[in-house]
Amino acid sequence: MIRFRQVEAFRCLMATGTSVGAARRMHITQPAISRLIADLEADLGFRLFNRTKGRLEPTMAAVRFYRAVEENFLGLERLKQAAETIRQEASEGLTVTCQPVLSTALLPPVLREFFKRKPGMPVKIDTANNPEILVRLQDLKVDIAVCQAFPPIAGIEMEPLLEGNVLCAMPASHPLAQKEVIVPEDLHEQDVIGWLPEGPLSRGMEEVYLPDPAIRPRYTIRTHTSHTRYAMVANGFGISIVEPFAAPLWLPHGVVVRPFQTDARFQYVLAYPSTGIRSDIAHEFREAALTVAREHDFGLATRRDLPRSAVPA
């Protein structure tokens, strides 16, 4: 029967290349390493190392077995990381990850509602872009995410929160500011702040908003963050297609926004690690977020008629 200590000795020996190095890493003697490896070979039924001129050379069987060991140890390492994260944080509290633009516009009213339900509850806010948010959810480093919708991904559950209209932002002095609605043709030969591809959320955005290849904007600057697009507009570098939540923060800086004619909508969600189990604190945050989505007036044509409960709490 293979024992964990044997496999650990084998892994250390493969990593260090010598029994001395393996012994130091495991804080045991060199003869103890040799015994563990010999016992493992006996249990496995095949040789792991050839001993030539005082050196241990891994066999092909050892290399193949090492790959299997590393795959399993990767899972153990993730468990260790999760345990370390839990150990370093308070026994009670909530860790929320959120896109920067939502952390400055949507998250504050959600937290006000949440603190009505859980006064004084510690909340850790981790702002990140969507690809980083997905990694944090899969690695169980956060309890809940508030972010833009994304394609289905293993290990993550999504719940619709709200939708927002697509806007076009421009300096107040821009000729297009005289229009009530901006159409795709208006962007032809205009200086436009575009998108950097950062995965499925922003790849091909030009084709989504400007499907006619005859429409050719001049992409002066490209970025993947909403606040940066607004900042570039405020500084006169061009116009940009933007989400609605950051608009109120930039209106005092000479930015105006107009509805952009498109069938696309910005969709925002709550996302969770798909463990099937959530704490009472996470449940209360979810209820607070859904309450704000239904009742809060963001003043930017956001729609709040999405389902009250799409994913079991």
Side-chain angles (χ1 to χ4, degrees):
M1 182 177 178
I2 299 174
R3 291 181 289 116
F4 177 81
R5 195 67 167 165
Q6 295 171 343
V7 176
E8 187 180 17
F10 168 70
R11 186 170 183 254
C12 290
L13 187 51
M14 290 290 288
T16 62
T18 67
S19 56
V20 174
R24 287 174 179 168
R25 181 170 294 191
M26 292 183 66
H27 305 291
I28 59 178
T29 65
Q30 185 177 350
I33 288 289
S34 299
R35 282 196 302 272
L36 287 168
I37 296 300
D39 291 344
L40 179 60
E41 289 178 326
D43 289 337
L44 292 173
F46 54 80
R47 181 173 291 279
L48 293 170
F49 295 93
N50 292 317
R51 295 156 179 81
T52 56
K53 297 182 180 179
R55 298 187 59 184
L56 295 175
E57 298 290 343
T59 64
M60 285 301 299
V63 173
R64 291 171 60 188
F65 185 63
Y66 182 65
R67 291 176 188 150
V69 166
E70 285 300 285
E71 289 175 3
N72 286 279
F73 263 82
L74 181 60
L76 289 173
E77 288 299 325
R78 289 187 63 183
L79 286 177
K80 289 179 183 178
Q81 291 171 8
E84 182 64 23
T85 300
I86 294 168
R87 218 174 9 251
Q88 291 176 356
E89 295 179 354
S91 58
E92 288 291 333
L94 186 73
T95 301
V96 179
T97 184
C98 185
Q99 288 176 283
V101 66
L102 298 181
S103 71
T104 57
L106 175 59
L107 195 56
V110 172
L111 287 175
R112 282 191 210 100
E113 181 66 26
F114 173 72
F115 288 135
K116 291 179 186 176
R117 302 161 183 264
K118 292 286 185 181
M121 179 61 64
V123 176
K124 179 180 177 182
I125 300 170
D126 179 17
T127 56
N129 59 27
N130 255 47
E132 293 169 338
I133 286 174
L134 303 184
V135 173
R136 284 162 170 72
L137 286 167
Q138 288 181 315
D139 287 347
L140 306 178
K141 292 184 177 179
V142 297
D143 300 303
I144 193 167
V146 184
C147 59
Q148 202 171 335
F150 50 87
I153 294 179
I156 301 175
E157 294 179 11
M158 238 186 328
E159 177 172 13
L161 182 61
L162 52 78
E163 291 187 352
N165 284 338
V166 178
L167 304 178
C168 185
M170 64 206 74
S173 59
H174 197 282
L176 289 179
Q178 305 304 314
K179 298 192 63 176
E180 292 186 2
V181 177
I182 306 302
V183 299
E185 290 77 13
D186 292 331
L187 272 60
H188 182 63
E189 295 187 349
Q190 293 285 341
D191 291 333
V192 173
I193 314 302
W195 304 267
L196 278 176
E198 60 165 1
L201 287 174
S202 59
R203 187 179 296 121
M205 296 301 281
E206 289 89 344
E207 290 78 6
V208 172
Y209 297 127
L210 306 172
D212 185 351
I215 301 172
R216 298 179 180 176
R218 294 187 295 269
Y219 289 108
T220 55
I221 298 172
R222 292 179 183 268
T223 178
H224 57 71
T225 63
S226 177
H227 276 304
T228 303
R229 279 193 287 277
Y230 275 103
M232 297 302 105
V233 171
N235 283 274
F237 292 110
I239 64 179
S240 187
I241 297 172
V242 293
E243 53 71 43
F245 282 104
L249 300 176
W250 289 98
L251 297 182
H253 299 279
V255 175
V256 298
V257 292
R258 298 288 182 266
F260 184 76
Q261 188 181 81
T262 176
D263 292 333
R265 300 274 289 178
F266 285 103
Q267 298 180 333
Y268 302 95
V269 300
L270 297 173
Y272 321 85
S274 56
T275 59
I277 301 173
R278 295 190 202 123
S279 69
D280 175 65
I281 300 170
H283 173 75
E284 293 295 348
F285 183 90
R286 169 188 178 271
E287 288 299 316
L290 294 176
T291 297
V292 168
R294 288 193 306 270
E295 300 175 1
H296 195 83
D297 181 12
F298 294 99
L300 289 166
T302 53
R303 197 178 78 198
R304 292 170 293 280
D305 58 354
L306 294 172
R308 178 181 177 87
S309 179
V311 177

